[in-house]
Amino acid sequence: MKSFDYHEPKSLEEASSLLAELGKPASIIAGGTDLLVEIKEELRAVSHVVNIKRIAGLDWKSWDPEKGLRFGTLVTAREIETWPAVVKHYPNLRTAVSLLGSIQVRNRATVVGNICRASPSADTIPPLIADGAELTVYSNAGERVIPVEELFTGPGKTVLVPGDIVTGIHVPAPRARSGRAYIKHGRRKAMELATVGVAVSLERDGDTCADIRIALGAVAATPIRARTAEALLRGRSLDDDTLAAVAETAMQESTPISNVRASAAYRREMVGVLTRRAIGMAMGGIQ
Amino acid sequence: MTIHEKDIPQKTDFTVVGKSVKRSDTLEKVTGSAVYAGDIALPGMLHGKIKRCEIAHAQIKRIDTSKALALKGVKAVLTHENVPHVLHYGSPHPRSASCTKDQYIFDHRVRYWGEGVAAVAAVTEEIAEEALHLIEIEYEPLPAVFTIEEAMKPDAPLIYDNGLDHNNVLPPVVVRRGDIDKGFAEADLILENEFDLGRPTPAYMEPNVCVTQWDGNGKLTIWSSTQTAFMVRGALAEVLGVPLNKVRVVVDHMGGGFGAKQDLFQHEFLCALLARETAKPVRMEYTRKETFLGGRSRHPGKIWLKQGFTKDGRITARQARIVFNSGAYGSHSPGVTNVGTAAMTSLYRCENVDLEGRAIYTNTPIAGAFRGYGVVQTYFAIDLQVDEAAERLGFDPAEFKLKNAVREGDIAPSGHPIVGHGLEDCIRRGIEESDWVNVRKTSGGSGVKRRGWGIGCEMHGSSAYPGIKEQGNAIVKMNEDGTVTLLTGTAGLGTGAHTALSQIVAEELGVPFESIGVVQGDTDVVPWDIGAFASHTTYMGGRAAQIAAADVKRQVLSHAAPLLEAEADQLTIEGGVIRVTGTNRSMTLKDAVAPHRGIPAIQLVGVGTYTPTKSYSFGAHFVEVEVDTETGEVAVLQVIPVHEIGKVVHPIAAAGQIEGGIQQGIGHTLSEDYVIDLTTGRSLNPSFVDYKMPLSMDMPPIRTIILETAPDPGGPWGAKGVGEDPIIAIGPAIANAIHDAIGVRFHHYPITPENILDALRETTKEA
Amino acid sequence: MKLIVTMTVNGEERELAIPPSRTLLDVLRNEGGLTGTKKGCDVGDCGACTVMMDGKPVNACLVLGIEAEGTVIETIEGLQHAPDRPHLLQEKFMEHGGSQCGFCTPGIVMMAKALLDENPDPTDDEIRFALAGNICRCTGYTKIIDAVRATAETMRTQ
């Protein structure tokens, strides 16, 4: 692995100044499970690594039926996976984190890190977008809140600038009669990068779908919302024809690429199949 | 015609053989104390790295290593300009028609994307890596070809000038028997298909690695992860220009090989040269990516197959044209082409055959030896087409395969008559175990997820005969306390070979398994060995060990006879005690061989050499799959492998071979494919993320059944090989099961979800 | 530039001088002299380098050596009770043929230990799920699952 300078700031303020000063060649390490691979495979030129794990107060987590789920930037994927509140109330996020690499990886990887890496195929992003999650971002210029959905500008690219440190995440509490699901598609049952990821969060009102958010991974330059497809279902009843139209529209909204993992045509087709299946699962899981 | 000198000894009272004793190599493995080549660390050791080209075919115009050499910590840099330019075999073994002699350590030309072009030794791995970036190379690109079709065109660039046209690695292998025209004339049904073969790779867990050191007397020691230590010794000696007694190859434990580690790899030469140049030990380990780039895959390619069948279910003619893609070098292509082509004469009986096999150079990574050695490919084609014929003619596929299964006395691909009813036994037993007739009734349907059952069959030879006249050797020493030391040259690549050999020695000698110690993997110490491959270790190495044990036993008994006041032929050894038959006189082995006051211990050394011909093992796999017709995903739900392998020496180790082979075969058939970009020759998935091996959650339950119904007189107490067999039958079994589930026949592997959906769309269109 | 790192490895406090870019895997193997932990891919895909860090299984190839400052590391070498007394998992892997070439074995045994520490009565599916990040290319996993299941059964009856 290429050598780099290593820093261990003790406070957010110190970390933010350091990162702002070092600029692009500096990278935050939290879990490190993506960063170290990128350095080893020379996918990213990093001459400074800034470890934020020595900063106090970034590993908290809380659940409240009114306020929802909140957790700090250093909380690992495995902690989220095994957190009873997540298991009970966020089966979509639970599924996503439990399919992220192996247990060994999840014991190091953080959910915030998975988000900030901004991979179009990142597992945790679609369910968080579908649930309307927001990130809290610290900078010496001030703190701000960014919806996960608005974070990404391209593969590996976000609106964050050097000096920004995501400190935590908030996922709103599930509304009454809501259901949620995430389906990851890959060639194996584990250790996969999603070829397609579909997250659906919806609310039901009698026979109709009161609200729905569909988020798609690995089918565009960033994770996306299938807004036109959502609109077809919002306020409508869930019959087979509507479902087929929603699936078809979601397919049209995706702009996948072909690579060694799957062709664009196959990915698009899977968006249709999995959107339909995810809606069914979300309906079935209404609490 | 008889092929073996004598019948199998009718032994039934086994005490060690046939028992799953605690393997002698596993205590070290489970405790982490097993020493693999990469674990060797020597004082002052340097670290070597290879620079690899990023162009598929080019002449090297200029290499400038000055900046790399100037980097602090760099001790040496090698390129084609300062290494010996000696043509050598791609695989050091066997120096026969099986392998080509077409490689240099470095050439002034590169023939595939990822070939090594320079090597660095530095004080740390990090510095060596950094130095690679400082080596400047200017290439003159040459036209490149990546497919066999392109490479065989009359105007295709020649990748290697061996005097043959159209990039042929070897003259075509032609096998003809009977009258092919008459065969097709008799047929009621003729099937003709082209089969497209993917590029699976062995993906052993231990990356290629070696450590080299020259002593003050100019002697090289190399610790290397190789299946063929003596062959590495020979090749290194030849290329480096030193005698054999100046090269010592040490292999203790190795982390898998599956055939591919029979080849000589660039790093073994380079590491030796860097150590000589720097006068320091050097360690060189491939990264996982390099293990793909610089490793060896199974041969991709195409098989055109045409067979004729009669209404009453006979195969009257079999015609095939096999074209293997050898990649940039020949490696084992001659062997693979010969074995794969000859295999098509058998499995399912057919008197009229006309087969032609070729291997073609292309500018892609090297295809080499890999478990199943050409037969995986050709039996995939035969079995799938026979399965289809059964359906067309109204037969149950298992019954049809049973009806046509190779029989006792039939001539095998090696030219020997088949011994026993192995294949028939396997099919019959599998039909029973799977409840075949009933489960087949529930196949298919119209749901989203559809299930199906399939059967695939195989046979495979133990030993590389007749391609190579092989030889197994062993030395068995009895120590003065009655314990035994077995010296064997066969590599411990993970199969449990040394345990099996120890069991055979213990059985022959009449001593407990625990009395046997093994010395192995050091070319300075152990008897010459051809290497661990061709499913021959138990069959040939085991027989040699048995002969050596018998030799030492004779010596022990003639020494003990006067002590027991008996003739040697009256004596037996059981449980470490020598008894005089028909009397109650006995003494322990220890007492018999121990030094007595004033009398030193005697030398008790038995030597065994065995030159085998060939035996065949058989298998039939019964597989259930589930196909998701919306996503195209295929899940293998269960596998019932039935294998006939003669006398089983260690049941758990044998079953382990079968189950591991199935895992690799499921991967090859459904998800594993090392993909080369057809415009640049670049490898697209040299990693475990994108080279998709089935993992713990993907693997189905496997119900392994082993039969001992056709023991072969050539092996110890009738034992035969099992290493390669299980990877052959699983592929066709899966493909046939997919057909049973969704009614589509594929003629290629891997069968991807996209292929499934495309095929289902075609079916819908046709309907 | 090297930094001094202190960690407890298999019960023994170790002070090691390492460059910041060296992974815990390389530190354990080179500076630590503990070669039982294997490097199969170096990017977290194969699990051959699984060690316990503060009681949790991690890929040592994806942890920087310096990140191990102040932590407790357990490797395969520390698992057996005494040189002649292997851990029950190790016994069962031997008995059931869970190890062939052995290169993945240390990582799999450590991962299996992590599973049984948390869940003493796992189903086969739970065993397969826990071992999802450990590649074995020799066994087809059948005998590995057998070994883990048998360990759990014996542990429960002891």
Side-chain angles (χ1 to χ4, degrees):
Chain A
M1 184 160 42
K2 203 171 170 301
S3 64
F4 48 74
D5 289 337
Y6 176 77
H7 310 268
E8 271 185 7
K10 297 288 185 293
S11 69
L12 281 172
E13 191 183 354
E14 187 191 342
S16 179
S17 309
L18 187 64
L19 287 161
E21 184 192 318
L22 296 169
K24 291 273 182 206
S27 188
I28 292 177
I29 188 167
T33 53
D34 271 333
L35 180 68
L36 296 188
V37 174
E38 289 176 313
I39 300 176
K40 286 178 189 190
E41 296 188 341
E42 298 179 359
L43 303 172
R44 200 199 298 203
V46 176
S47 46
H48 295 270
V49 168
V50 180
N51 184 357
I52 58 169
K53 284 197 290 293
R54 306 288 174 197
I55 299 172
L58 295 177
D59 58 354
W60 50 272
K61 57 185 203 280
S62 72
W63 154 251
D64 182 288
E66 302 292 318
K67 295 178 185 151
L69 199 71
R70 291 176 187 272
F71 54 91
T73 204
L74 294 181
V75 175
T76 64
R78 182 70 177 157
E79 283 177 82
I80 298 298
E81 178 189 357
T82 53
W83 186 4
V86 173
V87 175
K88 181 149 188 244
H89 303 291
Y90 301 91
N92 51 350
L93 181 59
R94 169 84 200 292
T95 302
V97 285
S98 68
L99 293 171
L100 193 164
S102 59
I103 290 175
Q104 294 96 311
V105 166
R106 301 200 288 278
N107 272 330
R108 296 294 294 172
T110 63
V111 170
V112 170
N114 188 241
I115 297 166
C116 291
R117 165 70 186 79
S119 164
S121 65
D123 286 306
T124 61
I125 298 173
L128 289 171
I129 289 180
D131 275 346
E134 295 171 331
L135 301 171
T136 313
V137 182
Y138 176 91
S139 144
N140 284 342
E143 198 171 79
R144 63 194 198 279
V145 170
I146 304 175
V148 173
E149 191 181 341
E150 292 168 20
L151 186 72
F152 311 104
T153 56
K157 294 198 174 81
T158 66
V159 298
L160 299 174
V161 297
D164 283 345
I165 299 163
V166 175
T167 55
I169 186 162
H170 169 227
V171 194
R175 307 264 283 269
R177 294 183 308 280
S178 68
R180 45 197 38 75
Y182 174 67
I183 301 178
K184 174 180 186 164
H185 189 66
R187 288 287 277 280
R188 293 184 293 214
K189 293 200 176 92
M191 299 305 284
E192 279 288 356
L193 298 176
T195 46
V196 174
V198 177
V200 168
S201 294
L202 49 73
E203 281 171 52
R204 183 174 183 162
D205 184 7
D207 283 343
T208 64
C209 174
D211 196 10
I212 181 166
R213 283 163 168 253
I214 301 170
L216 307 175
V219 292
T222 67
I224 55 165
R225 282 272 296 279
R227 290 174 182 278
T228 317
E230 292 170 6
L232 287 178
L233 202 51
R234 207 169 278 129
R236 297 275 300 275
S237 68
L238 278 165
D239 55 63
D240 286 351
D241 287 349
T242 313
L243 267 183
V246 170
E248 176 63 32
T249 308
M251 283 165 67
Q252 285 164 12
E253 286 183 87
S254 57
T255 53
I257 55 161
S258 289
N259 64 13
V260 73
R261 290 173 197 144
S263 73
Y266 181 74
R267 283 178 208 259
R268 188 174 281 120
E269 187 172 354
M270 286 309 100
V271 167
V273 173
L274 301 181
T275 298
R276 195 157 37 73
R277 289 186 181 181
I279 291 172
M281 280 172 69
M283 289 297 290
I286 282 177
Q287 297 175 347
Chain B
M1 175 175 155
T2 50
I3 48 162
H4 299 292
E5 295 150 15
K6 56 173 184 171
D7 287 337
I8 313 159
Q10 293 297 313
K11 184 176 164 73
T12 50
D13 53 339
F14 290 95
T15 57
V16 187
V17 161
K19 310 271 188 297
S20 292
V21 297
K22 199 170 277 184
R23 274 174 57 168
S24 55
D25 57 336
T26 48
L27 181 61
E28 287 179 290
K29 285 172 177 172
V30 298
T31 55
S33 57
V35 176
Y36 296 73
D39 298 334
I40 302 287
L42 300 169
M45 186 169 80
L46 302 176
H47 298 268
K49 284 271 171 198
I50 296 177
K51 185 173 180 73
R52 297 182 177 276
C53 68
E54 298 192 352
I55 186 166
H57 199 189
Q59 204 70 33
I60 298 172
K61 273 172 76 179
R62 188 181 65 89
I63 296 195
D64 184 349
T65 61
S66 55
K67 285 181 192 156
L69 277 165
L71 183 69
K72 193 174 167 224
V74 171
K75 299 297 180 189
V77 182
L78 300 176
T79 70
H80 72 90
E81 290 168 352
N82 59 354
V83 300
H85 199 64
V86 180
L87 197 60
H88 66 80
Y89 281 93
S91 171
H93 171 74
R95 304 173 153 247
S96 68
S98 292
C99 298
T100 55
K101 190 174 189 177
D102 57 3
Q103 292 188 35
Y104 297 95
I105 302 172
F106 284 140
D107 200 1
H108 47 75
R109 184 167 155 192
V110 293
R111 295 178 172 84
Y112 72 98
W113 197 99
E115 185 168 1
V117 287
V120 173
V123 293
T124 67
E125 235 180 307
E126 290 93 339
I127 294 172
E129 217 176 286
E130 200 182 331
L132 296 184
H133 292 288
L134 301 174
I135 298 171
E136 292 169 6
I137 306 178
E138 207 181 314
Y139 295 103
E140 172 145 344
L142 296 169
V145 285
F146 306 115
T147 62
I148 46 178
E149 288 84 358
E150 285 175 314
M152 289 170 79
K153 282 182 185 159
D155 57 344
L158 277 190
I159 295 163
Y160 191 81
D161 184 12
N162 59 358
L164 297 172
D165 57 8
H166 304 112
N167 282 309
N168 275 280
V169 176
L170 67 156
V173 173
V174 176
V175 181
R176 292 201 183 100
R177 286 185 198 164
D179 182 337
I180 194 75
D181 295 329
K182 181 170 153 277
F184 280 121
E186 284 171 14
D188 299 310
L189 169 72
I190 293 175
L191 294 178
E192 187 179 340
N193 303 98
E194 191 173 85
F195 295 84
D196 203 343
L197 316 166
R199 190 191 290 260
T201 89
Y204 33 77
M205 288 308 296
E206 178 197 32
N208 298 69
V209 60
C210 68
V211 174
T212 52
Q213 182 179 40
W214 294 81
D215 71 11
N217 295 317
K219 177 172 174 174
L220 169 70
T221 299
I222 172 168
W223 291 261
S224 188
S225 179
T226 178
Q227 295 172 232
T228 48
F230 281 88
M231 308 303 142
V232 169
R233 180 180 74 158
L236 282 172
E238 184 177 322
V239 174
L240 302 176
V242 294
L244 288 177
N245 67 357
K246 293 282 188 190
V247 181
R248 176 182 170 218
V249 182
V250 185
V251 191
D252 191 349
H253 295 280
M254 62 181 292
F258 310 115
K261 284 181 182 167
Q262 284 173 68
D263 268 35
L264 261 182
F265 295 87
Q266 277 180 305
H267 70 286
E268 289 169 316
F269 294 106
L270 292 167
C271 204
L273 288 167
L274 287 169
R276 186 154 76 178
E277 173 105 358
T278 59
K280 299 227 173 200
V282 179
R283 178 181 188 273
M284 221 175 204
E285 178 182 47
Y286 281 6
T287 61
R288 178 51 57 183
K289 182 177 176 183
E290 285 184 287
T291 305
F292 279 94
L293 299 180
R296 304 290 181 267
S297 73
R298 185 179 306 294
H299 284 69
K302 292 223 162 105
I303 297 172
W304 170 85
L305 173 65
K306 180 177 165 187
Q307 292 183 100
F309 306 86
T310 60
K311 280 182 198 156
D312 62 350
R314 284 181 303 115
I315 306 170
T316 57
R318 180 177 298 145
Q319 193 171 33
R321 300 289 175 261
I322 304 147
V323 187
F324 286 137
N325 182 342
S326 178
Y329 293 96
S331 178
H332 277 258
S333 284
V336 166
T337 309
N338 271 286
V339 172
T341 306
M344 293 189 99
T345 58
S346 195
L347 187 64
Y348 301 123
R349 313 172 87 187
C350 178
E351 282 175 8
N352 306 304
V353 296
D354 168 17
L355 313 167
E356 184 194 282
R358 290 172 187 270
I360 303 295
Y361 287 115
T362 63
N363 296 109
T364 62
I366 306 168
F370 181 12
R371 194 178 205 173
Y373 208 79
V375 182
V376 166
Q377 295 95 319
T378 54
Y379 281 0
F380 184 79
I382 288 188
D383 197 284
L384 264 59
Q385 201 174 69
V386 166
D387 205 84
E388 179 169 357
E391 184 202 6
R392 299 264 196 116
L393 295 168
F395 288 89
D396 173 89
E399 288 298 336
F400 191 77
K401 288 172 186 179
L402 181 60
K403 185 179 167 66
N404 286 288
V406 64
R407 300 283 160 82
E408 173 142 42
D410 285 358
I411 299 302
S414 61
H416 294 94
I418 293 290
V419 177
H421 308 89
L423 184 53
E424 296 159 88
D425 294 341
C426 291
I427 299 173
R428 284 202 186 95
R429 183 65 182 270
I431 289 174
E432 251 173 63
E433 289 286 339
S434 62
D435 192 15
W436 177 257
V437 176
N438 286 316
V439 294
R440 289 274 295 189
K441 287 179 190 157
T442 59
S443 302
S446 57
V448 170
K449 293 190 176 181
R450 298 177 204 166
R451 292 187 175 189
W453 278 86
I455 170 182
C457 297
E458 64 85 28
M459 58 191 273
H460 198 69
S462 315
S463 104
Y465 191 89
I468 308 158
K469 189 91 171 156
E470 300 189 335
Q471 188 186 87
N473 295 305
I475 293 172
V476 173
K477 302 196 291 181
M478 183 162 291
N479 303 306
E480 60 268 34
D481 63 351
T483 62
V484 177
T485 303
L486 162 69
L487 282 76
T488 172
T490 198
L493 71 163
T495 57
H498 300 139
T499 300
L501 265 51
S502 298
Q503 286 177 274
I504 290 164
V505 169
E507 189 72 53
E508 183 69 33
L509 271 174
V511 301
F513 171 73
E514 293 71 25
S515 295
I516 315 292
V518 182
V519 173
Q520 56 95 19
D522 184 336
T523 57
D524 268 8
V525 178
V526 299
W528 184 90
D529 188 85
I530 200 164
F533 56 82
S535 305
H536 68 194
T537 299
T538 301
Y539 176 70
M540 176 182 78
R543 187 65 183 273
Q546 185 187 15
I547 293 167
D551 184 14
V552 85
K553 184 177 180 179
R554 267 191 300 277
Q555 297 172 37
V556 170
L557 294 184
S558 57
H559 175 72
L563 302 174
L564 282 158
E565 296 170 351
E567 295 300 317
D569 60 9
Q570 290 175 280
L571 305 182
T572 60
I573 313 178
E574 269 172 59
V577 177
I578 306 174
R579 294 180 199 284
V580 184
T581 315
T583 75
N584 55 9
R585 289 206 305 282
S586 69
M587 72 191 303
T588 65
L589 204 59
K590 184 177 173 178
D591 284 343
V593 301
H596 293 282
R597 191 184 293 269
I599 305 168
I602 51 163
Q603 163 143 302
L604 295 167
V605 179
V607 177
T609 289
Y610 180 55
T611 306
T613 53
K614 193 153 195 142
S615 74
Y616 280 85
S617 298
F618 305 90
H621 288 191
F622 292 73
V623 171
E624 185 184 21
V625 301
E626 182 177 79
V627 182
D628 184 325
T629 56
E630 289 183 345
T631 64
E633 292 164 297
V634 177
V636 178
L637 300 180
Q638 58 172 316
V639 184
I640 304 174
V642 189
H643 284 267
E644 196 294 309
I645 61 172
K647 179 66 193 168
V648 179
V649 178
H650 191 295
I652 284 186
Q657 286 297 301
I658 292 166
E659 289 152 15
I662 285 170
Q663 176 187 16
Q664 295 181 350
I666 290 175
H668 297 3
T669 311
L670 296 174
S671 58
E672 293 182 28
D673 195 13
Y674 180 34
V675 185
I676 307 305
D677 181 85
L678 294 182
T679 56
T680 61
R682 189 169 71 93
S683 299
L684 294 179
N685 56 343
S687 74
F688 282 157
V689 167
D690 283 324
Y691 183 79
K692 312 273 188 193
M693 299 183 281
L695 305 179
S696 59
M697 292 175 71
D698 307 296
M699 283 302 295
I702 302 170
R703 183 147 46 106
T704 304
I705 295 162
I706 304 178
L707 308 180
E708 297 182 310
T709 54
D712 189 278
W717 298 290
K720 303 187 287 191
V722 67
E724 293 176 272
D725 291 80
I727 203 171
I728 303 170
I730 182 72
I734 292 172
N736 295 330
I738 291 173
H739 169 262
D740 189 43
I742 60 170
V744 176
R745 290 202 182 271
F746 292 96
H747 301 102
H748 71 274
Y749 61 77
I751 302 165
T752 68
E754 306 200 38
N755 301 148
I756 299 267
L757 292 188
D758 289 345
L760 285 171
R761 260 190 290 273
E762 281 300 310
T763 320
T764 321
K765 247 187 247 166
E766 281 166 21
Chain C
M1 186 193 59
K2 286 190 176 178
L3 302 169
I4 303 293
V5 174
T6 309
M7 59 183 105
T8 304
V9 183
N10 299 331
E12 190 186 333
E13 191 172 286
R14 303 285 295 264
E15 195 179 84
L16 305 165
I18 55 171
S21 62
R22 191 156 292 175
T23 62
L24 177 61
L25 172 59
D26 286 340
V27 170
L28 289 171
R29 289 182 53 86
N30 303 334
E31 283 79 4
L34 295 167
T35 55
T37 305
K38 299 299 180 201
K39 186 188 281 187
C41 74
D42 209 26
V43 288
D45 295 333
C46 80
C49 67
T50 302
V51 299
M52 302 284 254
M53 186 174 189
D54 289 335
K56 289 180 180 146
V58 300
N59 292 312
C61 72
L62 294 184
V63 178
L64 293 173
I66 39 176
E67 291 182 282
E69 169 66 37
T71 64
V72 174
I73 305 292
E74 293 160 76
T75 73
I76 187 70
E77 289 92 343
L79 192 60
Q80 71 233 71
H81 311 291
D84 59 343
R85 277 205 304 137
H87 186 276
L88 186 63
L89 263 168
Q90 295 170 319
E91 289 280 5
K92 293 296 175 188
F93 267 72
M94 287 192 277
E95 188 183 324
H96 289 271
S99 177
Q100 287 190 23
C101 86
F103 203 77
C104 71
T105 306
I108 291 190
V109 169
M110 293 308 283
M111 194 59 218
K113 177 175 187 293
L115 167 69
L116 297 181
D117 284 351
E118 246 180 48
N119 178 0
D121 187 14
T123 62
D124 281 10
D125 281 350
E126 286 168 339
I127 300 171
R128 289 182 185 274
F129 181 78
L131 296 178
N134 291 81
I135 302 182
C136 170
R137 190 60 162 169
C138 292
T139 64
Y141 291 97
T142 309
K143 304 219 175 308
I144 290 173
I145 311 290
D146 288 349
V148 178
R149 192 197 307 112
T151 306
E153 280 164 10
T154 308
M155 281 167 89
R156 287 199 305 278
T157 56
Q158 273 178 357

